[in-house]
Amino acid sequence: VLGSEVLTLWREIIDKRLEQLLPKEDGGMPQLKSLYQAMRYACLNPGKRLRPTLCLLCAEAVGGEALAAIEVACAVEMIHCFSLIHDDLPALDNDDLRRGLPSVHKKFGEAVAVLSGDALIGLAFEVLSRAKGKPERVLECLRRLTEAIGVDGLVGGETLDILSEGEVPNREVVQFIHSRKTGALFAASCAAGAAIGGGSAGDVQSLHQYGDELGLAFQITDDLLNQSSSENQLGKSAGSDLAREKMTYPAAFGEDVARDMAMEAVQRAQQYALHVPKMQSELASLALFAVERLS
Ligand code: FPP
Ligand code: MG
């Protein structure tokens, strides 16, 4: 089964739940309509839903029900979409296009963009707190996701990404950036799915490693696509890493080595997937999808 087919299968289920959890456009205060709209716009767009799909599959991979992880998966996607809103802001990457559409600040203005992101992260943890499952499992998800976004995760990686613009490419630094800004949330999405699915400590750890390697492969591929693809194909800006002198894998290692490193990370991810009881071929396909995707 192809990774893209696995994603198509789950996206409908994920989007249906997201759509229920997000504020309705006309549901609350009329004056806040643009806030609700911005939150929905950021989450219910043609993204890949890779992180929430991994979260659901990992619950199933350890012998649980995929749908037992739906709240956790939706929380993960809200965190991810929030991070993209902020990543695109003029103060950060200053990108006007995301998933083939104007970025949130282009469409709703900077103030509403910042605030809709803030609202999404709050909602993510509210949704997570209501996840079905043993309280200690829900708490483990909370710990893993908050760790993944903090100074040793997304925020730290993104800060270094921004502060390293224009610096001489350094292999250690770019490895640090990628493992934090991207690897951490992939790893936590997988581990949290496994945790809520009732996995053993060993299975949760294997899937954390799987997500970490998949995330590395994904972000190296992102760097390669930014360099070699087009805005039309990507649905977001192309060539921007070079223009902003970003510290990327191709900049630090060269394009060919970076491509090999991504493939090696996929193979390591697939090895980790062999440790879990179920869904090994789906997990292997999604790891491959991370490098074979064209957008
Ligand atoms: C996209 O990378 C950006 C990220 C993967 C992470 C962004 C993280 C933040 C804005 C911090 C979030 C804070 C919390 C609290 C969660 P990219 O710019 O290389 O990719 P792109 O081409 O898709 O923009
Ligand atoms: Mg960016």
Side-chain angles (χ1 to χ4, degrees):
V1 50
L2 285 173
S4 55
E5 290 168 359
V6 177
L7 290 171
T8 311
L9 198 73
W10 288 104
R11 103 166 274 132
E12 206 178 322
I13 293 163
I14 293 162
D15 282 4
K16 201 169 146 226
R17 190 71 187 118
L18 275 174
E19 122 83 29
Q20 293 168 341
L21 292 167
L22 287 160
K24 302 283 168 283
E25 272 186 32
D26 297 310
M29 237 188 141
Q31 294 89 330
L32 291 182
K33 189 169 177 177
S34 66
L35 177 68
Y36 310 144
Q37 281 176 327
M39 292 168 76
R40 298 178 73 85
Y41 182 84
C43 291
L44 301 171
N45 53 30
K48 296 180 271 294
R49 311 290 185 268
L50 180 54
R51 294 163 187 79
T53 299
L54 286 167
C55 180
L56 297 175
L57 284 186
C58 287
E60 197 169 341
V62 299
E65 293 259 1
L67 286 180
I70 189 72
E71 268 73 35
V72 183
C74 288
V76 161
E77 187 64 9
M78 287 176 190
I79 292 168
H80 171 57
C81 293
F82 151 81
S83 80
L84 295 181
I85 300 175
H86 282 204
D87 179 64
D88 288 338
L89 286 170
L92 285 89
D93 280 357
N94 192 21
D95 270 318
D96 293 353
L97 197 67
R98 170 70 63 185
R99 295 169 165 176
L101 298 165
S103 46
V104 177
H105 67 91
K106 276 279 144 188
K107 177 113 176 145
F108 296 93
E110 268 185 67
V112 171
V114 169
L115 291 163
S116 67
D118 296 341
L120 276 176
I121 194 133
L123 182 59
F125 289 110
E126 183 189 332
V127 166
L128 181 63
S129 76
R130 293 188 210 282
K132 291 177 243 10
K134 292 213 177 90
E136 61 270 24
R137 295 283 175 162
V138 178
L139 254 180
E140 177 171 359
C141 294
L142 174 68
R143 179 177 58 75
R144 287 181 177 275
L145 289 177
T146 45
E147 268 174 17
I149 67 178
V151 286
D152 289 326
L154 265 74
V155 174
E158 179 80 347
T159 306
L160 197 57
D161 174 286
I162 298 289
L163 299 182
S164 303
E165 284 180 9
E167 299 281 316
V168 179
N170 175 305
R171 294 175 175 192
E172 246 173 87
V173 174
V174 74
Q175 277 166 336
F176 184 101
I177 291 172
H178 283 35
S179 74
R180 271 45 169 209
K181 87 167 179 183
T182 308
L185 189 57
F186 272 105
S189 304
C190 294
I196 204 81
S200 68
D203 286 345
V204 174
Q205 187 53 21
S206 294
L207 288 167
H208 177 97
Q209 306 278 32
Y210 162 86
D212 182 51
E213 299 290 358
L214 187 157
L216 175 62
F218 185 92
Q219 189 59 42
I220 297 175
T221 304
D222 227 62
D223 294 348
L224 289 164
L225 288 170
N226 186 285
Q227 196 161 300
S228 64
S229 189
S230 66
E231 186 169 292
N232 243 349
Q233 176 72 248
L234 294 179
K236 59 185 185 183
S237 64
S240 52
D241 288 346
L242 276 176
R244 296 183 70 100
E245 298 181 66
K246 285 282 192 189
M247 188 112 40
T248 64
Y249 264 66
F253 293 92
E255 211 171 304
D256 292 339
V257 175
R259 190 163 284 113
D260 290 345
M261 290 176 87
M263 204 54 210
E264 285 157 20
V266 168
Q267 283 157 2
R268 289 194 299 272
Q270 291 175 335
Q271 287 299 314
Y272 283 116
L274 293 177
H275 294 256
V276 295
K278 289 171 67 186
M279 308 307 280
Q280 294 170 355
S281 71
E282 284 84 352
L283 292 172
S285 304
L286 285 175
L288 194 59
F289 173 82
V291 297
E292 289 189 338
R293 70 204 170 91
L294 298 174
S295 68

